[in-house]
Amino acid sequence: MVAAAASDTAAQRRAAKRSPLSVAGFKKTVSRHAEIGIFLIAALLILVFSATSDGRWANAYNIGTILQVTATLGLMSVGVALVIGTGEIDISVGSTFGMGALTYLSLVQQIDPPLAALASVAVGAAIGAFNGLLVTRTGTPSLIITLGSLMIFRGIAIALTDGFSFSVPYKMRSGAMYTAFGGDSIGMFNTGVFWLVAALIVLTAMLKLMPYGNRLLAVGGSAASAHSRGVRVDRVKLQAFILCGALAALGGTLEAGKLGFADGSMGRLMELQAIASCVLGGCLLAGGRISLIGAVMGAFVLSSIQSYLVVMGVRPQWFMLLLGLIVVFAALGDRKLRAWALKR
């Protein structure tokens, strides 16, 4: 009888550990999925914003706008997450975003939108290659290289526009091809949302199903160890920078397609929002741990906060203050949550 009772108790303990609803099960889930925290934050903010905005935040039009902003920022954020995964950082993505927008708008009136978008993405990939080659060939910290790139390409964008903006006439903002690149919505979803979903699926497959994912995280965890095991560290980092630049330019293309105009300041400070999205989403700035879906959810949270401030009539300057506070507390909260999850 005693042995049977002890056996039943042990079985119950094992079942509790396996159950995701138990404390032990939740700890295991948190330790394996870095993005849990941002999903909890997003759920809480949705409830608070919906309850306190008197319907001004939680309506179809506003949610559609939030998702459109999330799409462009999310594309940039997943690109930055890839670079962070290698233990590097790219803070030039804001100017790359702007260069992509200007390239698209300067060409879309002369050639078909898909070709203009392809040229824009190629420009972004070239900027990413520029950053990646300088980082890998010179050994200079990526923070310094990409800070220089941020200023170089922002200066080029301002010089190209010379105080004016590139724009597309209203009569040209139509047609299936222009719509496909952010120019319109399907239902409540801007077409940029579908580009984000497609990019997320492709990149997740690359990280989960292809050797590149293991190599990228191995490089971020320990470049020396990865190199000793035959991983071409410089190539992995260069590929991450190229993908980051291409995705940032694609985001700029979609934003330009939506607005129909762009100037030299396009994308200003978005690099900070992209990095904040990654931190919120559970990406480790030291490298070796990223979450693409977490980065996208981080972008959604930041877009939601910005939208809430707008509909509530709060001055937009407060967004930067909140952004800084959110990043600091998210980093501390993530550290505490993971420490709790790993504690036995």
Side-chain angles (χ1 to χ4, degrees):
M1 294 287 291
V2 174
S7 177
D8 290 342
T9 302
Q12 290 172 357
R13 288 176 179 172
R14 287 194 298 270
K17 289 183 179 180
R18 288 194 298 267
S19 173
L21 298 178
S22 67
V23 173
F26 182 68
K27 282 187 174 184
K28 189 174 182 180
T29 301
V30 170
S31 64
R32 288 185 175 182
H33 300 281
E35 64 276 5
I36 289 295
I38 191 60
F39 276 91
L40 296 176
I41 292 172
L44 178 62
L45 289 181
I46 289 173
L47 291 175
V48 172
F49 291 170
S50 299
T52 59
S53 62
D54 194 26
R56 285 174 289 175
W57 187 86
N59 59 73
Y61 175 79
N62 193 56
I63 296 299
T65 301
I66 292 172
L67 292 177
Q68 190 272 326
V69 175
T70 300
T72 52
L73 178 58
L75 283 167
M76 184 187 294
S77 299
V78 295
V80 172
L82 294 175
V83 174
I84 287 175
T86 67
E88 304 290 350
I89 192 72
D90 188 347
I91 61 172
S92 69
V93 287
S95 58
T96 305
F97 182 95
M99 288 297 294
L102 294 176
T103 301
Y104 179 71
L105 290 180
S106 66
L107 295 176
V108 76
Q109 298 183 58
Q110 285 78 40
I111 59 179
D112 291 336
L115 294 177
L118 183 61
S120 172
V121 171
V123 167
I127 295 174
F130 173 78
N131 291 329
L133 287 171
L134 285 177
V135 170
T136 56
R137 297 293 173 85
T138 68
T140 307
S142 54
L143 177 65
I144 303 300
I145 294 294
T146 57
L147 176 61
S149 293
L150 172 69
M151 293 186 285
I152 289 170
F153 293 105
R154 177 65 65 205
I156 291 174
I158 293 173
L160 287 174
T161 55
D162 194 23
F164 297 94
S165 63
F166 287 14
S167 62
V168 177
Y170 282 104
K171 63 181 180 181
M172 296 187 64
R173 300 181 195 179
S174 60
M177 288 296 96
Y178 188 84
T179 295
F181 292 96
D184 205 347
S185 301
I186 299 176
M188 64 179 289
F189 301 108
N190 180 268
T191 49
V193 175
F194 299 101
W195 283 100
L196 174 62
V197 172
L200 194 59
I201 292 172
V202 171
L203 292 173
T204 300
M206 285 177 57
L207 293 181
K208 300 291 185 182
L209 304 178
M210 298 173 64
Y212 179 74
N214 290 331
R215 293 169 185 166
L216 183 143
L217 296 179
V219 168
S222 174
S225 177
H227 179 73
S228 69
R229 297 185 181 188
V231 177
R232 303 184 68 172
V233 173
D234 287 351
R235 173 179 287 187
V236 171
K237 289 185 177 182
L238 177 60
Q239 290 170 340
F241 274 105
I242 291 173
L243 284 171
C244 182
L247 288 166
L250 177 58
T253 296
L254 297 173
E255 184 75 4
K258 171 68 175 179
L259 299 177
F261 67 90
D263 59 21
S265 66
M266 191 81 160
R268 188 174 64 89
L269 298 180
M270 284 190 70
E271 60 276 356
L272 302 181
Q273 295 182 47
I275 294 171
S277 298
C278 293
V279 173
L280 284 170
C283 300
L284 188 64
L285 288 177
R289 189 190 85 196
I290 62 172
S291 172
L292 299 185
I293 186 64
V296 171
M297 285 302 298
F300 172 76
V301 165
L302 294 183
S303 302
S304 298
I305 293 172
Q306 192 168 21
S307 173
Y308 181 77
L309 295 178
V310 171
V311 300
M312 297 302 291
V314 180
R315 290 188 301 172
Q317 291 85 346
W318 288 104
F319 174 68
M320 293 307 298
L321 172 62
L322 287 175
L323 178 61
L325 292 174
I326 287 168
V327 171
V328 171
F329 284 110
L332 293 174
D334 176 71
R335 184 177 179 181
K336 294 287 186 181
L337 184 63
R338 291 186 64 79
W340 172 80
L342 295 173
K343 187 177 180 180
R344 300 299 180 185

